[in-house]
Amino acid sequence: MIPNINTEIVPNYAKLLASNFDSVQECYACVIPEQLVQRLEQGQKFAREMHEGQGTAFEFGGEIFQIWCGGSQGHRWVFENDDLQFHIRTEKPMFNISVRYKSAGLWEHGVDALRARVKRLLLSEIRPLQEDWHTLTRIDYAFDFYSPDFSQEMLSTMVAENMVLTSGVKAEMVFTSKRIETLTIGMNRKGLQVQVYDKGKEILEASGKTWMFEVYEQEGYYPPDNMKAQHIWRVEVRFGKEFLKDRNIRTFEDFRPKIKELLAEAIMRRRIVDQGDSIDSHKERWGLHPLWAAVYDASGRADDYVPVGRQITMKRDHYIEMMRKQMAGVGRSLSVAQTGHYSEETARDDARQSVYMAMSDYDHDRKVLKAVERQKYLEEAQ
């Protein structure tokens, strides 16, 4: 449940200029035909030999991309355009194609149009390996605000000092001699991360995404040219693969109806607070900082989180075989740890002892019910 704290917005503190998906990544299980493999190899070789490492034109699904002269970490081929980036790990049938929906495409076309386009492109070149052939691996959702007041606050470390984080979550800040420019809350990119940064500065000095100013104009933001990038702050919520899996969110279709609850969890469990008029010395009972209150309001103000409890989705016989192999491996390691080698007699004794330990656990019944819940989709897996 949402903590019982003040979440009211402060009028005129932060004006919302835009909010949208800023990056989405999905992975597809595909059967890649040999002729496509040959084209990928030829395109990559041409890029390497003829363009001194630059990408070269590559046709895929009737659209023109640029194929890289080499792969990326763990991926053999990469090709992209201004909207999409494809990473192909291997030609072997498996979850072998990762697609990143890029910021420019998401803001221009929207996530639904891009996802439909990707499926059309893939189906014109490959064959799905299985019915449930796509899975969600990462989502970044961004809120951009105009806030001179927040710019003033970032001249000191007060904002960074007033964070309330769940156990084990770490944060870092990037600052100059003048002010803090970036706060990153949560360092595990496979988990949940929230970053606050000077978006105007990032546009001008790093990304060059000046087209964002046209997005802001849709909300009536028409400053003088020399002020366009001033006082624009982004709060970006990044949902990693492990965070999503722990909430049984395996596809974008799972994510979409739960977006408000997921954003609420991110905002509340990695929050910046403000003491205000409170005399309470416990920061966890302070109300939301005005910027955080504005983000919570823009996210839809959900009053609950998505339950945690990952389910297993592989076929039952595959799962049973996997668990048996894990038991054999653990038994082998335990025997070696005790005797210095593998002792069949010791392994049999350890197996019997494990049954006794399970039955003697006072929490045994509850743990059995949790296992039942985790495995409830086994029969449905394809």
Side-chain angles (χ1 to χ4, degrees), residues 35-313:
Q35 64 261 32
L36 176 57
V37 173
Q38 293 176 2
R39 287 174 46 221
L40 288 164
E41 285 288 277
Q42 291 167 359
Q44 188 180 73
K45 181 180 178 183
F46 186 77
R48 188 163 52 243
E49 294 177 350
M50 304 299 292
H51 291 271
E52 298 181 347
Q54 297 182 35
T56 191
F58 180 76
E59 189 270 332
F60 183 82
E63 293 191 24
I64 300 300
F65 294 81
Q66 276 199 332
I67 190 167
W68 293 8
C69 64
S72 61
Q73 185 175 10
H75 295 88
R76 187 170 168 182
W77 303 288
V78 181
F79 55 91
E80 66 179 331
N81 60 17
D82 56 340
D83 295 334
L84 303 165
Q85 189 175 83
F86 290 78
H87 294 250
I88 303 180
R89 180 180 306 154
T90 175
E91 71 271 28
K92 296 178 181 178
M94 57 185 297
F95 275 96
N96 50 10
I97 300 181
S98 294
V99 182
R100 182 166 76 88
Y101 304 83
K102 296 165 72 172
S103 178
L106 288 166
W107 286 94
E108 181 180 2
H109 306 292
V111 65
D112 296 319
L114 282 191
R115 293 185 71 239
R117 181 174 158 195
V118 164
K119 289 181 180 177
R120 184 174 66 251
L121 287 167
L122 288 173
L123 290 173
S124 69
E125 295 275 4
I126 59 86
R127 177 169 59 83
L129 179 62
Q130 56 198 47
E131 183 177 353
D132 51 339
W133 68 301
H134 56 89
T135 183
L136 182 64
T137 56
R138 181 183 170 91
I139 282 191
D140 297 353
Y141 198 91
F143 301 87
D144 289 353
F145 292 92
Y146 174 75
S147 180
D149 289 339
F150 189 71
S151 295
Q152 184 66 29
E153 288 189 59
M154 292 293 268
L155 295 175
S156 74
T157 61
M158 187 66 69
V159 170
E161 291 169 357
N162 287 339
M163 290 189 288
V164 176
L165 312 177
T166 51
S167 177
V169 175
K170 297 180 180 180
E172 70 175 13
M173 61 181 177
V174 176
F175 56 93
T176 66
S177 59
K178 295 182 179 180
R179 70 176 183 184
I180 300 171
E181 294 182 349
T182 304
L183 281 175
T184 304
I185 310 173
M187 308 311 296
N188 178 11
R189 292 183 66 83
K190 291 184 179 180
L192 174 63
Q193 189 178 75
V194 182
Q195 189 172 78
V196 187
Y197 61 94
D198 185 335
K199 183 61 180 177
K201 182 180 177 68
E202 188 266 347
I203 289 173
L204 293 185
E205 297 183 6
S207 69
K209 297 176 181 178
T210 54
W211 46 263
M212 282 298 305
F213 297 133
E214 297 179 21
V215 176
Y216 303 152
E217 288 175 0
Q218 297 176 25
E219 291 298 321
Y221 181 71
Y222 291 98
D225 286 345
N226 65 336
M227 293 293 293
K228 270 190 174 182
Q230 299 295 312
H231 311 307
I232 299 175
W233 293 91
R234 169 163 290 189
V235 180
E236 190 165 294
V237 181
R238 299 166 180 166
F239 300 100
K241 177 170 60 177
E242 295 303 315
F243 178 87
L244 296 170
K245 282 186 176 180
D246 284 341
R247 286 148 186 81
N248 298 309
I249 295 172
R250 299 179 294 278
T251 66
F252 187 82
E253 286 77 12
D254 294 332
F255 180 91
R256 197 61 175 272
K258 299 175 182 176
I259 184 172
K260 289 197 297 185
E261 290 79 7
L262 291 163
L263 287 170
E265 180 174 359
I267 294 160
M268 291 300 176
R269 291 190 169 172
R270 284 150 176 73
R271 67 184 182 268
I272 300 175
V273 296
D274 189 306
Q275 186 170 8
D277 297 328
S278 174
I279 59 174
D280 197 322
S281 60
H282 296 278
K283 286 195 295 186
E284 64 270 16
R285 293 199 285 264
W286 294 355
L288 292 180
H289 181 278
L291 181 64
W292 238 238
V295 177
Y296 181 50
D297 190 65
S299 73
R301 306 183 70 88
D303 59 4
D304 205 353
Y305 304 148
V306 175
V308 176
R310 186 184 302 188
Q311 270 99 28
I312 302 155
T313 57

Side-chain angles (χ1 to χ4, degrees), residues 328-343:
V330 170
R332 184 184 301 112
S333 298
L334 180 57
S335 177
V336 171
Q338 294 176 100
T339 66
H341 60 92
Y342 184 73
S343 166

